[in-house]
Coordinates of all heavy atoms in Angstrom, one line a residue:
M31 N -2.9 -12.5 23.3 CA -3.3 -14.0 23.4 C -4.5 -14.2 22.5 O -5.4 -13.5 22.5 CB -3.7 -14.3 24.8 CG -4.0 -15.8 25.0 SD -2.6 -16.9 24.8 CE -1.8 -16.6 26.4
F32 N -4.3 -15.2 21.6 CA -5.4 -15.6 20.7 C -5.9 -17.0 21.1 O -5.1 -17.9 21.4 CB -4.8 -15.7 19.3 CG -4.3 -14.4 18.8 CD1 -2.9 -14.1 19.0 CD2 -5.1 -13.4 18.2 CE1 -2.4 -12.9 18.5 CE2 -4.5 -12.2 17.8 CZ -3.2 -12.0 17.9
I33 N -7.2 -17.1 21.1 CA -7.9 -18.3 21.5 C -8.5 -18.9 20.3 O -9.3 -18.2 19.6 CB -8.9 -18.1 22.7 CG1 -8.2 -17.6 23.9 CG2 -9.5 -19.5 23.0 CD1 -9.1 -17.3 25.1
Y34 N -8.2 -20.2 20.0 CA -8.8 -20.8 18.8 C -9.6 -22.1 19.3 O -9.1 -22.7 20.3 CB -7.7 -21.3 17.9 CG -7.1 -20.1 17.1 CD1 -6.3 -19.2 17.7 CD2 -7.5 -19.9 15.8 CE1 -5.8 -18.1 17.0 CE2 -7.0 -18.8 15.1 CZ -6.1 -17.9 15.7 OH -5.6 -16.8 15.0
Q35 N -10.6 -22.4 18.6 CA -11.5 -23.5 19.1 C -11.8 -24.4 17.9 O -12.2 -23.9 16.8 CB -12.7 -23.0 19.7 CG -13.6 -24.2 20.3 CD -14.8 -23.7 20.9 OE1 -15.6 -22.9 20.4 NE2 -15.1 -24.2 22.1
C36 N -11.6 -25.7 18.1 CA -12.0 -26.6 17.0 C -13.5 -26.7 16.9 O -14.2 -26.9 18.0 CB -11.4 -28.0 17.3 SG -11.8 -29.3 16.1
A37 N -14.1 -26.7 15.7 CA -15.5 -26.7 15.6 C -16.1 -28.1 15.9 O -17.2 -28.2 16.3 CB -15.9 -26.4 14.1
D38 N -15.3 -29.1 15.8 CA -15.7 -30.5 16.0 C -15.5 -30.9 17.5 O -16.4 -31.4 18.1 CB -15.1 -31.4 15.1 CG -15.5 -31.2 13.6 OD1 -16.6 -30.7 13.4 OD2 -14.8 -31.6 12.7
C39 N -14.3 -30.7 17.9 CA -13.9 -31.3 19.2 C -14.2 -30.3 20.4 O -14.1 -30.7 21.5 CB -12.4 -31.6 19.2 SG -11.9 -32.6 17.8
K40 N -14.4 -29.0 20.0 CA -14.6 -28.0 21.0 C -13.4 -27.8 21.9 O -13.5 -27.3 23.0 CB -15.8 -28.3 21.9 CG -17.1 -28.5 21.1 CD -17.5 -27.4 20.3 CE -18.8 -27.6 19.5 NZ -19.1 -26.6 18.5
I41 N -12.3 -28.2 21.4 CA -11.0 -28.0 22.1 C -10.5 -26.6 21.8 O -10.5 -26.2 20.7 CB -10.0 -29.1 21.7 CG1 -10.4 -30.5 22.2 CG2 -8.6 -28.7 22.2 CD1 -9.5 -31.6 21.8
Q42 N -10.1 -26.0 22.9 CA -9.5 -24.6 22.7 C -8.0 -24.7 22.9 O -7.5 -25.3 23.7 CB -10.2 -23.7 23.7 CG -11.6 -23.3 23.4 CD -12.1 -22.2 24.2 OE1 -11.5 -21.8 25.2 NE2 -13.3 -21.7 23.9
I43 N -7.4 -23.9 22.0 CA -5.9 -23.8 22.1 C -5.6 -22.3 22.2 O -6.3 -21.5 21.6 CB -5.2 -24.5 21.0 CG1 -5.6 -23.9 19.6 CG2 -5.4 -26.0 21.0 CD1 -4.8 -24.4 18.5
E44 N -4.5 -22.0 22.8 CA -4.1 -20.6 23.0 C -2.8 -20.4 22.2 O -1.9 -21.2 22.3 CB -3.9 -20.3 24.4 CG -5.2 -20.3 25.2 CD -4.9 -19.9 26.7 OE1 -3.8 -19.7 27.1 OE2 -5.9 -19.8 27.4
L45 N -2.8 -19.3 21.5 CA -1.6 -18.9 20.8 C -1.2 -17.5 21.2 O -2.0 -16.7 21.4 CB -1.8 -18.9 19.2 CG -2.2 -20.3 18.6 CD1 -2.5 -20.0 17.1 CD2 -1.1 -21.3 18.8
T46 N 0.1 -17.4 21.5 CA 0.6 -16.1 21.9 C 0.7 -15.2 20.8 O 0.7 -14.0 20.9 CB 2.0 -16.3 22.6 OG1 2.8 -17.0 21.8 CG2 1.8 -17.0 23.9
R47 N 0.8 -15.7 19.6 CA 0.8 -14.8 18.4 C 0.3 -15.6 17.2 O 0.3 -16.8 17.2 CB 2.3 -14.3 18.0 CG 3.2 -15.4 17.6 CD 4.6 -15.0 17.7 NE 5.6 -16.0 17.2 CZ 6.3 -15.9 16.1 NH1 6.2 -14.8 15.4 NH2 7.1 -16.8 15.7
A48 N -0.4 -14.9 16.3 CA -1.1 -15.5 15.2 C -0.3 -15.2 13.9 O -0.2 -14.0 13.6 CB -2.5 -15.0 15.1
V49 N 0.2 -16.2 13.3 CA 0.9 -16.0 12.0 C -0.1 -16.6 10.9 O -0.3 -17.8 10.9 CB 2.2 -16.8 12.0 CG1 2.9 -16.6 10.7 CG2 3.1 -16.3 13.1
M50 N -0.5 -15.7 10.1 CA -1.5 -16.1 9.1 C -0.8 -16.6 7.9 O 0.3 -16.2 7.5 CB -2.3 -14.8 8.6 CG -2.9 -14.0 9.8 SD -3.9 -15.0 10.9 CE -5.4 -15.1 9.9
K51 N -1.4 -17.6 7.3 CA -0.9 -18.1 6.0 C -2.1 -18.6 5.2 O -3.2 -18.8 5.8 CB 0.1 -19.2 6.2 CG -0.4 -20.5 6.8 CD 0.7 -21.5 6.9 CE 0.2 -22.8 7.5 NZ 1.3 -23.9 7.5
V52 N -1.9 -18.8 3.9 CA -3.0 -19.3 3.1 C -2.8 -20.7 2.6 O -1.7 -21.1 2.1 CB -3.1 -18.3 1.8 CG1 -4.2 -18.9 0.9 CG2 -3.3 -16.9 2.2
V53 N -3.8 -21.5 2.9 CA -3.7 -22.9 2.5 C -5.0 -23.2 1.7 O -6.1 -23.1 2.3 CB -3.6 -23.9 3.8 CG1 -3.7 -25.3 3.3 CG2 -2.3 -23.6 4.5
D54 N -4.8 -23.7 0.5 CA -5.9 -24.0 -0.3 C -6.9 -22.9 -0.5 O -8.2 -23.1 -0.4 CB -6.7 -25.3 0.2 CG -5.8 -26.5 0.1 OD1 -4.9 -26.5 -0.8 OD2 -5.9 -27.4 0.9
G55 N -6.4 -21.7 -0.5 CA -7.3 -20.5 -0.7 C -7.9 -20.0 0.5 O -8.7 -19.0 0.5
S56 N -7.7 -20.6 1.7 CA -8.3 -20.2 2.9 C -7.2 -19.6 3.8 O -6.1 -20.2 3.9 CB -9.0 -21.3 3.7 OG -10.0 -21.9 2.8
V57 N -7.5 -18.5 4.5 CA -6.5 -18.0 5.4 C -6.6 -18.7 6.7 O -7.7 -18.7 7.3 CB -6.8 -16.4 5.6 CG1 -5.8 -15.9 6.6 CG2 -6.7 -15.7 4.3
I58 N -5.6 -19.3 7.2 CA -5.6 -20.0 8.4 C -4.4 -19.4 9.3 O -3.6 -18.7 8.8 CB -5.4 -21.5 8.2 CG1 -4.2 -21.9 7.4 CG2 -6.7 -22.1 7.6 CD1 -3.0 -22.1 8.1
T59 N -4.4 -19.8 10.5 CA -3.3 -19.4 11.4 C -2.4 -20.5 11.6 O -2.8 -21.7 11.9 CB -3.9 -19.0 12.7 OG1 -4.9 -18.0 12.5 CG2 -2.9 -18.4 13.6
K60 N -1.1 -20.2 11.4 CA -0.1 -21.2 11.6 C -0.1 -21.8 13.0 O -0.4 -21.1 14.0 CB 1.3 -20.6 11.3 CG 2.4 -21.5 11.2 CD 3.7 -20.7 10.8 CE 4.9 -21.6 10.6 NZ 5.4 -22.1 11.9
D61 N 0.1 -23.1 13.1 CA 0.2 -23.8 14.4 C -1.2 -23.8 15.1 O -1.2 -23.9 16.3 CB 1.2 -23.2 15.3 CG 2.6 -23.3 14.7 OD1 2.8 -24.3 14.0 OD2 3.4 -22.4 15.0
S62 N -2.3 -23.6 14.4 CA -3.6 -23.6 15.0 C -4.4 -24.9 14.8 O -5.5 -25.0 15.0 CB -4.4 -22.4 14.5 OG -4.8 -22.6 13.2
E63 N -3.6 -25.9 14.4 CA -4.3 -27.2 14.1 C -4.8 -27.8 15.4 O -4.2 -27.7 16.5 CB -3.3 -28.2 13.5 CG -2.9 -27.8 12.1 CD -1.6 -27.1 12.1 OE1 -1.2 -26.5 13.2 OE2 -0.9 -27.1 11.1
C64 N -6.0 -28.4 15.3 CA -6.6 -29.1 16.5 C -5.7 -30.3 16.9 O -5.3 -31.1 16.0 CB -8.0 -29.6 16.2 SG -8.7 -30.6 17.4
P65 N -5.3 -30.4 18.2 CA -4.5 -31.5 18.6 C -5.2 -32.9 18.5 O -4.6 -33.9 18.5 CB -4.2 -31.2 20.1 CG -5.2 -30.3 20.5 CD -5.7 -29.5 19.3
E66 N -6.5 -32.9 18.4 CA -7.3 -34.1 18.3 C -7.5 -34.6 16.9 O -7.1 -35.7 16.6 CB -8.6 -33.9 19.0 CG -8.6 -34.0 20.5 CD -8.2 -35.4 21.0 OE1 -8.7 -36.4 20.4 OE2 -7.5 -35.5 22.0
C67 N -8.0 -33.7 16.1 CA -8.4 -34.2 14.7 C -7.5 -33.6 13.7 O -7.6 -34.0 12.5 CB -9.9 -33.8 14.5 SG -10.2 -32.1 14.4
G68 N -6.7 -32.6 14.0 CA -5.8 -32.1 13.1 C -6.3 -31.0 12.1 O -5.5 -30.5 11.3
Q69 N -7.6 -30.7 12.2 CA -8.1 -29.7 11.3 C -7.8 -28.3 11.9 O -7.6 -28.2 13.1 CB -9.5 -29.8 11.0 CG -10.5 -29.5 12.2 CD -11.9 -29.5 11.8 OE1 -12.3 -29.4 10.6 NE2 -12.8 -29.6 12.8
Y70 N -7.8 -27.3 11.1 CA -7.5 -26.0 11.6 C -8.7 -25.4 12.4 O -9.8 -25.6 12.0 CB -7.2 -25.0 10.4 CG -5.8 -25.3 9.9 CD1 -5.7 -25.9 8.6 CD2 -4.7 -24.9 10.5 CE1 -4.4 -26.2 8.1 CE2 -3.4 -25.1 10.0 CZ -3.3 -25.8 8.8 OH -2.1 -26.0 8.3
T71 N -8.3 -24.9 13.5 CA -9.4 -24.3 14.4 C -9.7 -22.9 14.0 O -9.0 -22.3 13.2 CB -8.9 -24.3 15.8 OG1 -7.6 -23.7 15.9 CG2 -8.7 -25.8 16.3
R72 N -10.7 -22.3 14.5 CA -11.1 -21.0 14.2 C -11.0 -20.1 15.5 O -11.2 -20.6 16.6 CB -12.6 -21.0 13.7 CG -12.8 -21.8 12.5 CD -14.1 -21.6 11.9 NE -14.3 -20.3 11.4 CZ -15.4 -19.9 10.8 NH1 -16.4 -20.7 10.6 NH2 -15.5 -18.7 10.3
E73 N -10.6 -18.9 15.2 CA -10.4 -18.0 16.4 C -11.8 -17.7 17.1 O -12.8 -17.4 16.4 CB -9.8 -16.7 15.9 CG -9.5 -15.8 17.1 CD -8.7 -14.5 16.6 OE1 -8.6 -14.3 15.4 OE2 -8.2 -13.8 17.5
V74 N -11.7 -17.8 18.4 CA -12.9 -17.5 19.2 C -13.0 -16.0 19.3 O -12.1 -15.2 19.4 CB -12.8 -18.1 20.6 CG1 -13.9 -17.7 21.5 CG2 -12.6 -19.6 20.5
E75 N -14.3 -15.6 19.1 CA -14.5 -14.1 19.2 C -14.1 -13.5 20.5 O -14.4 -14.1 21.6 CB -16.0 -13.9 18.9 CG -16.3 -12.5 18.4 CD -17.8 -12.4 18.0 OE1 -18.3 -13.3 17.3 OE2 -18.4 -11.3 18.2
K76 N -13.4 -12.5 20.4 CA -12.9 -11.9 21.6 C -14.0 -11.2 22.4 O -14.8 -10.5 21.8 CB -11.7 -10.9 21.3 CG -10.5 -11.6 20.8 CD -9.4 -10.5 20.7 CE -8.1 -11.1 20.1 NZ -8.3 -11.5 18.7
K77 N -13.9 -11.3 23.7 CA -14.9 -10.5 24.5 C -14.2 -9.3 25.0 O -13.1 -9.4 25.7 CB -15.4 -11.4 25.6 CG -16.2 -12.6 25.2 CD -16.6 -13.5 26.4 CE -17.4 -14.7 25.9 NZ -17.6 -15.6 27.0
F78 N -14.7 -8.2 24.7 CA -14.1 -7.0 25.1 C -14.7 -6.5 26.5 O -15.8 -6.2 26.6 CB -14.4 -5.8 24.1 CG -13.6 -6.1 22.8 CD1 -14.2 -6.5 21.7 CD2 -12.2 -5.8 22.8 CE1 -13.5 -6.8 20.5 CE2 -11.5 -6.0 21.6 CZ -12.2 -6.5 20.5
T79 N -13.8 -6.6 27.4 CA -14.2 -6.1 28.8 C -13.2 -5.0 29.1 O -12.1 -5.1 28.8 CB -14.1 -7.3 29.8 OG1 -12.8 -7.8 29.8 CG2 -15.2 -8.3 29.5
G80 N -13.7 -4.1 29.8 CA -12.9 -3.0 30.2 C -12.4 -2.2 29.0 O -11.2 -2.0 28.8
F81 N -13.3 -1.9 28.1 CA -13.0 -1.2 26.9 C -12.3 0.2 27.2 O -12.8 0.9 28.1 CB -14.2 -0.9 26.1 CG -14.0 -1.0 24.6 CD1 -14.3 -2.2 23.9 CD2 -13.4 0.1 23.9 CE1 -14.1 -2.3 22.5 CE2 -13.2 0.0 22.5 CZ -13.5 -1.2 21.9
P82 N -11.2 0.5 26.6 CA -10.6 1.8 26.9 C -11.5 2.9 26.5 O -12.3 2.8 25.6 CB -9.3 1.7 26.1 CG -9.5 0.7 25.1 CD -10.4 -0.3 25.7
S83 N -11.3 4.0 27.1 CA -12.2 5.1 26.9 C -11.9 5.9 25.6 O -11.7 7.1 25.6 CB -12.2 6.1 28.1 OG -10.9 6.5 28.3
L84 N -11.9 5.1 24.5 CA -11.6 5.7 23.2 C -12.9 6.2 22.6 O -12.9 7.1 21.7 CB -10.9 4.7 22.3 CG -9.5 4.4 22.7 CD1 -9.0 3.3 21.9 CD2 -8.6 5.6 22.7
I85 N -14.0 5.6 22.9 CA -15.3 5.9 22.3 C -15.9 7.0 23.2 O -16.2 6.9 24.4 CB -16.3 4.7 22.3 CG1 -15.6 3.6 21.5 CG2 -17.6 5.1 21.8 CD1 -16.4 2.3 21.5
R86 N -16.1 8.1 22.5 CA -16.7 9.3 23.2 C -18.0 9.7 22.5 O -18.2 9.5 21.3 CB -15.7 10.5 23.2 CG -14.5 10.1 24.0 CD -13.5 11.3 24.0 NE -12.3 11.0 24.7 CZ -11.3 11.8 24.9 NH1 -11.3 13.0 24.3 NH2 -10.2 11.5 25.5
T87 N -18.9 10.3 23.3 CA -20.2 10.7 22.7 C -20.2 12.1 22.2 O -21.0 12.5 21.4 CB -21.3 10.5 23.8 OG1 -20.9 11.2 24.9 CG2 -21.5 9.0 24.1
E88 N -19.2 12.9 22.7 CA -19.2 14.2 22.2 C -18.7 14.3 20.8 O -18.0 13.5 20.3 CB -18.3 15.1 23.1 CG -16.8 14.8 23.0 CD -16.4 14.0 24.2 OE1 -17.1 13.1 24.6 OE2 -15.2 14.2 24.6
P89 N -19.2 15.3 20.1 CA -18.9 15.4 18.6 C -17.4 15.7 18.5 O -16.8 16.4 19.3 CB -19.7 16.6 18.1 CG -20.1 17.4 19.4 CD -20.2 16.4 20.5
T90 N -16.8 15.1 17.5 CA -15.4 15.2 17.3 C -15.1 16.2 16.1 O -13.9 16.5 15.9 CB -14.7 13.9 17.0 OG1 -15.4 13.2 15.9 CG2 -14.8 13.0 18.2
L91 N -16.1 16.5 15.4 CA -15.9 17.4 14.2 C -15.7 18.8 14.7 O -16.4 19.3 15.5 CB -17.1 17.4 13.3 CG -17.4 16.0 12.5 CD1 -18.7 16.1 11.8 CD2 -16.2 15.7 11.6
R92 N -14.7 19.4 14.1 CA -14.4 20.8 14.4 C -15.4 21.8 13.7 O -15.6 21.6 12.5 CB -13.0 21.2 14.1 CG -12.0 20.4 15.0 CD -10.6 20.8 14.6 NE -9.6 20.1 15.4 CZ -8.3 20.2 15.1 NH1 -7.8 20.9 14.2 NH2 -7.4 19.5 15.9
K93 N -15.8 22.8 14.4 CA -16.6 23.8 13.7 C -15.7 24.8 13.0 O -14.7 25.2 13.5 CB -17.5 24.6 14.7 CG -18.5 23.7 15.4 CD -19.3 24.5 16.4 CE -20.4 23.6 17.1 NZ -21.0 24.3 18.2
K94 N -16.1 25.1 11.8 CA -15.3 26.0 11.0 C -15.8 27.4 11.2 O -17.0 27.7 11.3 CB -15.4 25.7 9.5 CG -14.6 24.4 9.2 CD -14.7 24.1 7.7 CE -13.9 22.8 7.3 NZ -14.0 22.5 5.9
Ligands
ZN934 ZN1 -10.7 -31.2 16.5

């Protein structure tokens, strides 16, 4: 799930998938236009909760 928010209207829209395309040299997401003003919204920074235990503190380098 991708959440996009209009910078002007503060309206958030949800997209189940993000299809990127380039318009006027800017990378935008297809179907991410604001329903109010019609400008392209920007993706809201994802909040990572319950991070999978991929980050480990022990050294990963093997000793030769
Ligand atoms: Zn808007």
Side-chain angles (χ1 to χ4, degrees):
M31 183 68 76
F32 300 90
I33 300 175
Y34 287 76
Q35 184 178 47
C36 177
D38 292 337
C39 313
K40 307 300 181 189
I41 290 176
Q42 288 189 350
I43 59 176
E44 292 182 355
L45 297 176
T46 53
R47 65 197 184 114
V49 179
M50 311 303 284
K51 66 177 182 178
V52 177
V53 174
D54 296 332
S56 300
V57 179
I58 54 90
T59 306
K60 191 173 182 290
D61 299 328
S62 69
E63 295 94 335
C64 173
E66 281 293 321
C67 66
Q69 74 173 339
Y70 285 104
T71 55
R72 301 188 66 174
E73 187 174 8
V74 177
E75 203 169 320
K76 292 186 182 70
K77 293 175 182 175
F78 290 103
T79 56
F81 216 99
S83 57
L84 293 173
I85 299 174
R86 296 179 180 179
T87 54
E88 69 260 36
T90 55
L91 292 173
R92 292 178 182 175
K93 291 178 181 175
K94 286 181 180 176

